[in-house]
Amino acid sequence: MEGISETPDGHVIVTGGERSLTYAPRRVTVDDGTVVAHESQGGEMSSVWAADLGGPFFVEVAHLGDGPVGGELVMTVTHIGPDETRRFVALGDLWAADLPAAAARGWAVWAAAVDLALGLLDGDVALLGTGVDGAPLTKDDVEDLHQRLLGALHG
């Protein structure tokens, strides 16, 4: 069955007419055995990867910059329906409800990656994932994270 679903552990499964994939914050696994990960996580991707899953789903995966761990991937799913086109975005570990005591890769790089991610959220975009207090993630949540990162960076 074609569609997008989220697992309790935060993975996103996208099932198209011909293929499916599972998105995790630093790794995408396609049902044909293809694994997509950033170079810093042992993969071969440096910036972007895309796939047509058949039917109405096209997927783009990008590394916008390191977050709190490094090698975080952002996924954009475009669903082209008969009456409308919808976009869904998964931010993975670029999103954090609370800032860690120290970001391993640095606040500036993480803030820049979140700023780029905000650019993906223009228009009618549904965010995948959980925001503050278990509520659905919103663009306001991401904008708030960006401001907290800038505050941590600039004091």
Side-chain angles (χ1 to χ4, degrees), residues 4 8 16 33 38 40 53 55 57 122 130-131 134 146:
I4 302 172
H38 186 258
S40 66
L53 300 181
F57 291 104
D122 285 341
T130 305
H146 188 240

Side-chain angles (χ1 to χ4, degrees), residues 19-24 26-39 41-46 48-51 61 73:
R19 299 188 303 175
S20 65
L21 62 75
T22 301
Y23 163 87
R26 289 172 298 286
R27 181 182 195 91
V28 173
T29 306
V30 184
D31 64 357
D32 66 3
T34 301
V35 175
V36 178
H38 186 258
E39 296 167 330
Q41 294 292 321
E44 295 181 8
M45 186 187 94
S46 61
V48 68
W49 175 86
V61 177
L73 301 176

Side-chain angles (χ1 to χ4, degrees), residues 23 25 38 40 45-49 60-67 70-76 89-95 108-121 127 142:
Y23 163 87
H38 186 258
S40 66
M45 186 187 94
S46 61
S47 60
V48 68
W49 175 86
E60 298 169 281
V61 177
H63 177 259
L64 303 178
D66 288 336
E72 289 84 356
L73 301 176
V74 172
M75 178 176 70
T76 301
V89 174
L91 298 179
D93 286 344
L94 278 186
W95 160 251
V109 174
W110 188 6
V114 171
D115 187 44
L116 289 171
L118 280 166
L120 297 173
L121 306 181
L127 272 162
V142 181

Side-chain angles (χ1 to χ4, degrees), residues 55-145:
F57 291 104
F58 183 80
V59 176
E60 298 169 281
V61 177
H63 177 259
L64 303 178
D66 288 336
V69 176
E72 289 84 356
L73 301 176
V74 172
M75 178 176 70
T76 301
V77 180
T78 302
H79 174 269
I80 302 169
D83 299 324
E84 68 177 339
T85 298
R86 296 227 35 223
R87 284 189 317 125
F88 303 83
V89 174
L91 298 179
D93 286 344
L94 278 186
W95 160 251
D98 298 308
L99 297 182
R105 304 283 183 170
W107 299 108
V109 174
W110 188 6
V114 171
D115 187 44
L116 289 171
L118 280 166
L120 297 173
L121 306 181
D122 285 341
D124 184 23
V125 175
L127 272 162
L128 301 169
T130 305
V132 179
D133 297 327
L137 186 60
T138 67
K139 184 176 180 179
D140 287 344
D141 291 332
V142 181
E143 288 173 341
D144 180 61
L145 168 64

